[in-house]
Amino acid sequence: MTMYEMTDMQYQAVYNVLSFALASMMATTVYLWFRSFAVQDKYRSAVLISGLVTFIAAYHYFRIFNSWVEAYSYPAGKLVDGAMVVEGPKLTGVPFNDAYRYMDWLLTVPLLLIEILLVMNLDAETYSEKAKALGLSSALMIVSGYYGELTVSGNLAPRWICWFVSMLFFVYICKELLIGLAAATESESDAEIKGKIRLAQVMTVISWCTYPVVYLFPMFGITAAQAVVGIQIGYCVSDIISKCGVGLVIYQITYAKSSKGALLG
Amino acid sequence: MTMYEMTDMQYQAVYNVLSFALASMMATTVYLWFRSFAVQDKYRSAVLISGLVTFIAAYHYFRIFNSWVEAYSYPAGKLVDGAMVVEGPKLTGVPFNDAYRYMDWLLTVPLLLIEILLVMNLDAETYSEKAKALGLSSALMIVSGYYGELTVSGNLAPRWICWFVSMLFFVYICKELLIGLAAATESESDAEIKGKIRLAQVMTVISWCTYPVVYLFPMFGITAAQAVVGIQIGYCVSDIISKCGVGLVIYQITYAKSSKGALLG
């Protein structure tokens, strides 16, 4: 793999964004775990799992942040009149391990899909069928992407093949979220709840669109320091929307269903 | 013990898999501990213990991961036009301590067997008898395996003897899980619960099969870097199935028994 020199500003930008994502994940985790007790028992698992997703992501952001810090080091500065102009960080030789993200996704993406299924109007059989199909295809989508990442050197053909295989599963999952599950979404009697379930589905699909685009960067020769900064910011924004954002919407859905269920009961 | 040079890719593969196993153990622990409150009091211990197993494993994976990181270090790379191709990691001289795994198993394997017994239809006397027999034989199986690991140098005879002793206990435990406990499994009136208990037993036996096979690798001269990568991935997969997987099945069994018990009561 190739590592790039960063200006002080570029290095700090990635550092701050990774730290921001870590803080967002930790805070969302605590909120969701505490609030899992505020919803009816049958929805508690969904809120708990939403918190598990951000918990797992927090762990990986902690590792990614540390890996970023280990990849660069600041040279001793030179004092001029009692002040020191900071020089840009230098590469240490330790590679920045971004592949942690794949380990994260392998756990969190199936859980994210399951947390959406758990708050929908699905009978046990449909739930189990959809959970298996979506869980398996999301795992295959990520494994295929990771395999493509491993083939880093010169020849980009395997990376293209992996991208296409991955995209097959990607398109299938998006289709299921937007169309396959539409009937179940429409069957919600409460307009507010129906709107929020649709919101969770759409947020997931839109925030996911970053990943296949970023994956193509090396194919278009976008590999400089500037690109690394852009990729890290893009990944962080997508992760915050799809994990913290969707997790909080899931909580709102279960909370609304719990209060309305209580009124009916 | 002997340590091997790794390519960047091999080193990162083990690094990522160990981290993945750690994240899986932590997430499962949290889920099981939270959900232990969702089952009837008489089943709570089983779910709690399932979470203890993954908790103990998470601790050991944390140590194993750190040991892996300490065993290798990256040399300072050479910059060409602001970019640096990362060189493979070098051995530091610190051995990778894999024997943590035996300490882990010594605690978790008896607990794993007990968590299965706890959710079965056994009278107090049978339970106590089976728990003692399985707990003791699993401890002896691991101690014998560990003793064989300590005799690493040239002469492989003691390692073979330890393997055979260990396998005696291994076969006894598998026989108990699949045959000795079959009558109790069959006595479950609910088909779904019966199926899940059988699943937990079969998952345990199948995932365990990795261990005696990996143990034989040095006897067949399989000792290169490639083998180390394979062994670590194999151990991680087996641990995730037998600890996270079986733990979650145990929770499902207790949850099903609790809801059905409530209906009957």
Side-chain angles (χ1 to χ4, degrees), chain B residues 130-171:
Chain B
K130 296 271 180 195
K132 268 180 209 147
L134 291 178
L136 187 67
S137 48
S138 61
L140 290 172
M141 168 179 85
I142 290 152
V143 167
S144 159
Y146 183 57
Y147 188 77
E149 286 280 359
L150 295 178
T151 62
V152 262
S153 46
N155 179 18
L156 287 170
R159 194 177 168 98
W160 272 113
I161 296 168
C162 288
W163 184 81
F164 275 109
V165 173
S166 216
M167 281 306 282
L168 287 179
F169 296 112
F170 183 91
V171 170

Side-chain angles (χ1 to χ4, degrees), chain A residues 3 5 45 59 97 100 150, chain B residues 9 12 15 19 31 82 84 86:
Chain A
M3 294 286 299
E5 288 273 283
S45 252
Y59 163 75
N97 183 355
Y100 276 131
L150 294 178
Chain B
M9 205 92 90
Q12 298 284 352
Y15 188 93
S19 172
Y31 186 76
M84 186 191 76
V86 171

Side-chain angles (χ1 to χ4, degrees), chain A residues 1-5 33 37 41 44-45 48 52 56 59 63 91-93 95 97 99-100 103 106-107 146 150, chain B residues 9 12 15-16 19-20 22-24 26-27 30-31 34-35 65 74-77 79 82-86 255:
Chain A
M1 81 176 283
T2 316
M3 294 286 299
Y4 301 93
E5 288 273 283
W33 284 354
F37 295 105
D41 188 67
R44 198 161 291 156
S45 252
L48 192 53
L52 280 181
I56 294 166
Y59 163 75
R63 290 261 187 237
L91 288 163
T92 57
N97 183 355
Y100 276 131
M103 301 301 114
L106 200 51
L107 284 166
Y146 181 57
L150 294 178
Chain B
M9 205 92 90
Q12 298 284 352
Y15 188 93
N16 288 336
S19 172
F20 180 83
L22 170 54
S24 307
M26 290 194 300
V30 172
Y31 186 76
F34 267 98
R35 294 307 286 164
F65 178 87
Y74 280 90
L79 265 186
M84 186 191 76
V85 175
V86 171
Y255 193 71

Side-chain angles (χ1 to χ4, degrees), chain B residues 87-167:
Chain B
E87 287 181 54
K90 301 288 165 229
L91 289 163
T92 56
V94 181
F96 172 49
N97 182 356
D98 204 19
Y100 279 131
R101 293 194 183 275
Y102 284 88
M103 302 303 113
D104 177 73
W105 295 332
L106 199 52
L107 283 166
T108 56
V109 171
L111 290 176
L112 264 172
L113 294 170
I114 284 169
E115 81 191 35
I116 294 176
L117 294 177
L118 276 173
V119 300
M120 296 186 64
N121 265 348
L122 297 169
D123 58 82
E125 201 183 332
T126 318
Y127 166 79
S128 156
E129 190 186 293
K130 296 271 180 195
K132 268 180 209 147
L134 291 178
L136 187 67
S137 48
S138 61
L140 290 172
M141 168 179 85
I142 290 152
V143 167
S144 159
Y146 183 57
Y147 188 77
E149 286 280 359
L150 295 178
T151 62
V152 262
S153 46
N155 179 18
L156 287 170
R159 194 177 168 98
W160 272 113
I161 296 168
C162 288
W163 184 81
F164 275 109
V165 173
S166 216
M167 281 306 282

Side-chain angles (χ1 to χ4, degrees), chain A residues 22-264:
Chain A
L22 171 54
S24 306
M25 295 299 167
M26 290 193 299
T28 310
T29 302
V30 172
Y31 185 76
L32 291 173
W33 284 354
F34 269 98
R35 293 309 285 165
S36 71
F37 295 105
V39 303
Q40 277 176 19
D41 188 67
K42 61 177 163 175
Y43 299 122
R44 198 161 291 156
S45 252
V47 180
L48 192 53
I49 290 173
S50 303
L52 280 181
V53 164
T54 50
F55 171 72
I56 294 166
Y59 163 75
H60 286 103
Y61 270 102
F62 182 76
R63 290 261 187 237
I64 294 169
F65 178 86
N66 284 352
S67 177
W68 182 252
V69 170
E70 279 163 23
Y72 295 89
S73 75
Y74 279 90
K78 226 186 344 197
L79 269 183
V80 180
D81 296 333
M84 189 193 74
V85 176
V86 171
E87 285 180 55
K90 301 287 167 229
L91 288 163
T92 57
V94 180
F96 173 50
N97 183 355
D98 204 20
Y100 276 131
R101 293 196 182 274
Y102 284 88
M103 301 301 114
D104 177 71
W105 296 331
L106 200 51
L107 284 166
T108 55
V109 171
L111 290 176
L112 265 171
L113 294 170
I114 284 169
E115 81 191 36
I116 294 177
L117 293 177
L118 275 173
V119 299
M120 294 185 66
N121 265 348
L122 298 170
D123 58 84
E125 202 183 328
T126 317
Y127 165 79
S128 155
E129 191 186 290
K130 296 270 179 194
K132 269 181 208 147
L134 292 178
L136 186 67
S137 47
S138 60
L140 290 173
M141 168 178 86
I142 291 152
V143 167
S144 160
Y146 181 57
Y147 190 77
E149 286 281 358
L150 294 178
T151 62
V152 261
S153 47
N155 179 17
L156 288 170
R159 195 178 166 97
W160 272 113
I161 296 168
C162 289
W163 184 80
F164 275 108
V165 172
S166 218
M167 281 307 282
L168 286 179
F169 296 113
F170 183 90
V171 169
Y172 166 74
I173 297 168
C174 291
K175 200 212 79 187
E176 274 297 300
L177 279 176
L178 298 179
I179 302 165
L181 291 167
T185 310
E186 286 306 313
S187 75
E188 295 290 344
S189 52
D190 185 272
E192 190 202 339
I193 291 173
K194 191 192 293 183
K196 292 214 190 249
I197 291 178
R198 182 134 293 269
L199 177 65
Q201 293 161 340
V202 170
M203 275 170 81
T204 303
V205 170
I206 290 180
S207 63
W208 278 19
C209 288
T210 317
Y211 308 113
V213 173
V214 164
Y215 201 82
L216 291 173
F217 278 18
M219 278 87 129
F220 297 127
I222 309 172
T223 49
Q226 200 73 50
V228 173
V229 176
I231 290 172
Q232 293 306 319
I233 294 175
Y235 275 158
C236 287
V237 171
S238 291
D239 274 355
I240 291 171
I241 295 172
S242 68
K243 296 187 168 88
C244 303
V246 171
L248 293 171
V249 172
I250 292 291
Y251 159 67
Q252 290 174 343
I253 295 166
T254 57
Y255 192 72
K257 283 198 169 186
S258 298
S259 359
K260 278 162 195 165
L263 286 178
L264 293 173

